[in-house]
Amino acid sequence: MDQFMQAAIDEAKNGLDEGGIPIGSVIVHNGKIIGRGHNRRVQEGSAILHGEMDALENAGRQPASVYKESVLYTTLSPCPMCSGAIILYGIPKVIIGENKTFMGEEEHLKSRGVNVEVLQDETCINRMLKFIEEKPTLWNEDIGV
């Protein structure tokens, strides 16, 4: 297991342990995590704190050159909002834990030149399947259904 995907998986577990949605993300620049986060919509009563957005927020203000040299790891395929942020900041590569439980805007990312890699990691898949089964209303809220 890649250490950075493992860090994203650990963030997803943190979110679940806090009573939230188990999606985690990290941003890596030059082999170092500069931002980590997990979905905190429930915990913070937020409309936008998906895992990727939380990782970007926790990375703090960075020069555009840093984003353009970074890789974003996320346990789940990015939604339209998170994909928009990836494109806005020019992050060139996204490594996704899985897209079986939710297919985000991967084609849009690719169409904008983002290198997208999907791992289909069993830990990510199983955690999301279990969460969706146990809390379908919360999951549907998170994806805007």
Side-chain angles (χ1 to χ4, degrees), residues 3-4 18 22 25 27 31 45 53 56 64 85 92 122 124 129-130 144:
Q3 66 177 329
F4 301 124
E18 294 170 359
S25 183
I27 301 168
M53 301 298 278
L56 282 164
E122 289 299 319
C124 296
L129 284 171
K130 183 176 183 201

Side-chain angles (χ1 to χ4, degrees), residues 27 51-60 67 72 82 85-86 89 91:
I27 301 168
E52 300 90 338
M53 301 298 278
D54 193 38
L56 282 164
E57 180 69 17
N58 290 326
Y67 295 118
L72 185 141
C82 297
I86 290 163
Y89 289 108
I91 297 171

